[in-house]
Amino acid sequence: MNEIAARYRVRADIFAAKIAAVRPGRWSNPSPCEEWTAKDVVGHIVDMHGAMLGPLGRSLSRAPSVEEDPLAAFASARADIEALLDDPATAASEVATPAGRLSVEQHIDQVVSADMVVHGWDLARATGQDDTIDPAEIVAIWPGVQQIPDEMRIPGAFGPGIVVFGPEVEVLHDAPLQHRVLGLLGRDPHWSA
């Protein structure tokens, strides 16, 4: 298994554990993502898995909806992505993406795999779970989040209804690195429902 596939699996395991830990009655809780509930966060991640399949002319396999069973919906979407990553020819093939031409595995790594890290924090905050992000992930994310272009913070810049990053949330310069990363990603590290 290559590094990208291994990283995806670790992130998916963590995200799945957060889904499984949501207590009954908490799925409708608001999340740090404006206008999204906890269940909407999972729906977004499942939808983004489908977006990774689109450039290949594929779609998600039939599965329960996020509304019916968030964990089963995620598990099915995850299986679809792992099938791509497990096929060396498909994983290495190039596709057109909003960021230009990328290999399928690069596209997955830069979009949905990375999304699970931050949206895992959103889901944890929304549902009262431990929201600590793996410190190695925070260190890896830090250089990139310091360089987010302003246009990626403009609602609708990449299409109607698409918001990539919210406005930067100011945090103290000596705050924990996780807080500084979250602030640059448009999240208030002290947000609560």
Side-chain angles (χ1 to χ4, degrees), residues 1-18:
M1 182 185 318
N2 73 29
E3 183 179 338
I4 289 174
R7 183 167 42 245
Y8 172 85
R9 282 179 168 81
V10 168
R11 290 170 171 173
D13 284 345
I14 292 168
F15 195 78
K18 289 184 186 331

Side-chain angles (χ1 to χ4, degrees), residues 133-153:
I133 298 172
D134 179 340
E137 290 278 18
I138 291 295
V139 169
I141 293 169
W142 179 239
V145 298
Q146 294 177 78
Q147 318 234 344
I148 294 173
D150 288 340
E151 61 268 16
M152 294 191 81
R153 297 187 187 279

Side-chain angles (χ1 to χ4, degrees), residues 58-172:
R58 301 180 190 182
S59 57
L60 293 172
S61 298
R62 289 184 50 82
S65 70
V66 172
E67 194 59 41
E68 296 167 319
D69 187 339
L71 186 57
F74 175 72
S76 179
R78 175 186 183 172
D80 289 339
I81 293 301
E82 287 178 347
L84 297 181
L85 294 172
D86 290 344
D87 177 350
T90 301
S93 64
E94 285 195 355
V95 291
T97 77
R101 292 199 65 78
L102 295 172
S103 70
V104 168
E105 65 184 358
Q106 288 172 322
H107 193 210
I108 290 167
D109 194 45
Q110 292 177 18
V111 180
V112 76
S113 184
D115 248 14
M116 288 189 292
V117 175
V118 177
H119 286 306
W121 181 86
D122 296 326
L123 183 59
R125 288 300 279 195
T127 58
Q129 300 182 49
D130 179 4
D131 64 1
T132 305
I133 298 172
D134 179 340
E137 290 278 18
I138 291 295
V139 169
I141 293 169
W142 179 239
V145 298
Q146 294 177 78
Q147 318 234 344
I148 294 173
D150 288 340
E151 61 268 16
M152 294 191 81
R153 297 187 187 279
I154 300 169
F158 293 89
I162 297 175
V163 176
V164 181
F165 298 107
E168 180 180 341
V169 174
E170 287 192 32
V171 298
L172 297 174

